[in-house]
Amino acid sequence: MTVTEELVSFEDALASYDPVMGLEVHVELGTTTKMFCGCATALGAEPNAQTCPTCLGLPGALPVVNSVGVESAIRIGLALGCEIAEWCRFSRKNYFYPDMPKNFQTSQYDEPIAFNGRLDVQLADGEVFRVGIERAHMEEDTGKSTHVGGATGRIHGASHSLLDYNRAGIPLIEIVTKPIEGAGERAPEIARAYVAELRELIRSLGVSEARMEMGQMRCDVNLSLRPRGAVAFGTRSETKNVNSLRSVERAVRFEIQRHAAVLEAGGTITQETRHFHEENGTTTSGRTKEEAEDYRYFPEPDLVPVAPDRAWVERLRAELPELPLARRNRLRADWGISAHEMQSVLNAGAIDLIVATIEAGADAAAARKWWMGELARRANEQGVEPAALPITPEQVARVAALVAEGSLNDKLARQVIDGVLAGEGTPDEVVAKRGLAIVSDTGALGVAVDEAIAANPAIADKVRGGKVAAAGALVGAVMKATRGQADAARARELILEKLGVS
């Protein structure tokens, strides 16, 4: 794929233009059945095995609203500080896509279930930026098209396409921001931070795993530029289905540079959808973007309106968990770390793991040290989240306890973690099987000390002569002889004692 469009530098673009963003995030809900029928939503089924006359749009089939989907939508709306509609209804959004078997999508148009909210996002330097929420509405996902025979995986150039309707009808919540103004040069960072914060919020509610790499959460990036000082918005482009935090940031940056180049050359921006390309961070044209009237919305005649009982709404409000930003700020104060350090913990996906490790008995510093150090490194090497590693917070807490009580040092603790990850058992079982406990008894340690002194007479003489710091070399010899299992502090005490140094 070759991009021939010219770009201006990001700095030059921001010197002349003010970016305005709008982010539309689609979240697949973790319900066991689809939004309007009883078909299963589990991943991995044979193609078209999880379909029925309703989600295939066959004549005479009638939809029924998934009550858990409605509850999830209300919970999301409440967490975003939205007003919850007392009465709303579904509409038919008409367009032809081969992966929508009904040729329309059951969605909400002018009557969303939640509207007029906000989400505060914290940037890497601690600054908080408020993003307004226009609406959160209920709809259904499309099926999956696989285009075969082409070079790009897209329909252009393909010899044929395969359609899997298992995903068609899975509940979606679409969360639409108000125009995001005033972001300036931080627009890419704010877009990424917003999607990351929204993902944390969705997960905290338990309504979706929101795994972007699996398509459970996808972002459409709308962007326009206006000359500095202007009030009217420019023409927007919409980069569709961006599926990682990094890609959201890159898509915003690229579109700012592309728009600026077109405008600086005297051209006009085409209102269109665009495809994002992970391999090089660019976008290419998709299709001319429709306006709302092009979709010919009209009220869904086969579904009754949704009128959430106010007592139910207030009960759901009272049951909301602590929101992610407030929780992080509380934990950051409890742990005594900086905003930057907490951001690193968030980026690593380790907050809940550290909390669970502390609850299992570890102190905060030790829990953070092991998850953000050794275990984060292992996760990065394997390309997985830390939570996917075959070690539990309880096991990490036990490793920390063994270090705290002096049974292990850090080097041995890393070997214990090796054993646990390799499936050799609990930390205590690994210590026993591998013989990793620290040698601290005077008998065994004394032999190693005597051998170290005998093998290094010149160093021993320096210590006797008052150069106590030289004892470090003898401690090192003891550690080497014991394969790192000696109690270094006790070994030093014995060396000084045997050499007559108080």
Side-chain angles (χ1 to χ4, degrees):
M1 189 274 302
T2 302
V3 176
T4 57
E5 291 170 305
E6 296 294 326
L7 302 179
V8 302
S9 75
F10 185 72
E11 293 73 19
D12 288 346
L14 270 297
S16 301
Y17 299 98
D18 178 28
V20 179
M21 297 184 295
L23 303 173
E24 303 172 12
V25 175
H26 293 80
V27 178
E28 280 188 359
L29 298 179
T31 56
T32 56
T33 57
K34 293 184 181 182
M35 191 65 196
F36 302 111
C37 67
C39 290
T41 59
L43 295 174
E46 288 293 316
N48 297 305
Q50 296 175 169
T51 58
C52 71
T54 299
C55 59
L56 290 177
L58 300 183
L62 294 176
V64 177
V65 176
N66 185 324
S67 63
V68 176
V70 174
E71 178 176 312
S72 297
I74 294 173
R75 295 180 69 201
I76 291 171
L78 291 171
L80 290 170
C82 290
E83 300 175 49
I84 304 301
E86 295 191 11
W87 187 95
C88 63
R89 58 184 171 179
F90 288 95
S91 294
R92 290 188 180 184
K93 181 181 181 182
N94 294 272
Y95 53 86
F96 176 74
Y97 283 148
D99 49 11
M100 278 303 294
K102 298 183 295 187
N103 278 346
F104 65 84
Q105 181 187 40
T106 305
S107 181
Q108 291 187 305
Y109 174 46
D110 55 345
E111 297 167 318
I113 193 166
F115 54 93
N116 193 28
R118 76 282 180 274
L119 182 63
D120 288 337
V121 299
Q122 192 167 42
L123 305 180
D125 62 358
E127 179 184 343
V128 175
F129 190 96
R130 173 161 289 186
V131 175
I133 304 297
E134 179 69 33
R135 57 192 278 143
H137 65 260
M138 300 178 286
E139 58 185 27
E140 60 183 337
D141 210 347
T142 62
K144 178 182 179 181
S145 299
T146 302
H147 304 297
V148 183
T152 65
R154 301 190 183 279
I155 194 168
H156 301 292
S159 59
H160 62 285
S161 298
L162 302 175
L163 297 174
D164 178 6
Y165 291 127
N166 282 348
R167 196 176 66 186
I170 285 181
L172 279 184
I173 301 298
E174 181 175 354
I175 302 159
V176 182
T177 69
K178 296 178 180 180
I180 302 173
E181 304 178 66
E185 65 183 7
R186 305 194 77 173
E189 179 187 2
I190 288 169
R192 176 177 182 150
Y194 166 76
V195 177
E197 190 67 27
L198 184 59
R199 183 179 66 177
E200 292 300 306
L201 182 144
I202 295 295
R203 288 175 173 175
S204 75
L205 295 174
V207 297
S208 173
E209 293 181 354
R211 295 179 62 179
M212 297 186 75
E213 75 280 7
M214 295 180 64
Q216 295 173 339
M217 182 171 174
R218 313 185 289 272
C219 181
D220 296 342
V221 176
N222 291 271
L223 186 122
S224 66
L225 295 184
R226 61 186 175 190
R228 286 283 179 185
V231 176
F233 295 162
T235 302
R236 65 186 172 93
S237 61
E238 181 180 9
T239 305
K240 300 287 288 185
N241 295 325
V242 185
N243 64 357
S244 77
L245 300 180
R246 178 172 179 262
S247 295
V248 168
E249 184 173 15
R250 295 170 77 200
V252 171
R253 178 178 288 269
F254 181 85
E255 282 297 282
I256 287 174
Q257 294 179 259
R258 185 184 70 83
H259 279 229
V262 172
L263 296 172
E264 288 294 296
T268 58
I269 300 297
T270 302
Q271 183 167 309
E272 62 182 352
T273 63
R274 296 183 67 86
H275 302 300
F276 181 76
H277 301 278
E278 296 276 356
E279 66 273 14
N280 56 15
T282 65
T283 70
T284 53
S285 181
R287 59 183 171 82
T288 301
K289 177 62 178 173
E290 296 88 348
E291 298 288 356
E293 56 268 22
D294 295 319
Y295 290 120
R296 295 178 292 113
Y297 283 99
F298 64 86
E300 169 57 70
D302 292 334
L303 289 170
V304 298
V306 176
D309 178 73
R310 292 299 97 180
W312 180 39
V313 172
E314 292 309 311
R315 186 167 65 252
L316 292 176
R317 188 193 308 275
E319 294 171 355
L320 287 177
E322 184 179 22
L323 297 184
L325 179 56
R327 180 181 184 234
R328 290 200 304 276
N329 287 336
R330 174 178 58 80
L331 292 174
R332 183 167 68 84
D334 290 346
W335 299 349
I337 62 176
S338 68
H340 178 74
E341 289 171 317
M342 178 54 86
Q343 187 64 43
S344 296
V345 174
L346 174 64
N347 293 343
I351 291 178
D352 290 338
L353 296 169
I354 293 172
V355 168
T357 303
I358 294 169
E359 290 174 348
D363 65 60
R368 195 163 56 86
K369 164 188 169 182
W370 288 110
W371 282 110
M372 293 301 294
E374 187 67 16
L375 291 166
R377 180 180 66 80
R378 305 295 184 91
N380 287 336
E381 288 175 351
Q382 297 177 32
V384 299
E385 294 285 320
L389 294 173
I391 188 168
T392 66
E394 292 76 18
Q395 290 170 330
V396 176
R398 181 56 183 157
V399 171
L402 290 169
V403 172
E405 70 187 30
S407 297
L408 296 175
N409 55 30
D410 282 1
K411 179 180 179 181
L412 295 175
R414 286 191 286 272
Q415 295 181 50
V416 172
I417 288 173
D418 278 339
V420 174
L421 293 175
E424 296 176 18
T426 67
D428 291 284
E429 290 169 342
V430 174
V431 168
K433 288 176 182 177
R434 294 194 177 192
L436 296 177
I438 279 181
V439 178
S440 58
D441 63 282
T442 302
L445 197 53
V447 172
V449 167
D450 289 339
E451 290 175 351
I453 291 173
N456 298 278
I459 296 175
D461 287 341
K462 288 182 181 179
V463 176
R464 289 190 187 96
K467 294 184 178 180
V468 178
L474 296 177
V475 173
V478 171
M479 297 302 292
K480 182 177 180 180
T482 60
R483 294 181 302 164
Q485 291 182 239
D487 182 334
R490 181 60 182 144
R492 188 175 188 280
E493 290 175 0
L494 286 175
I495 288 168
L496 297 179
E497 181 181 312
K498 290 176 178 291
L499 295 178
V501 178
S502 58

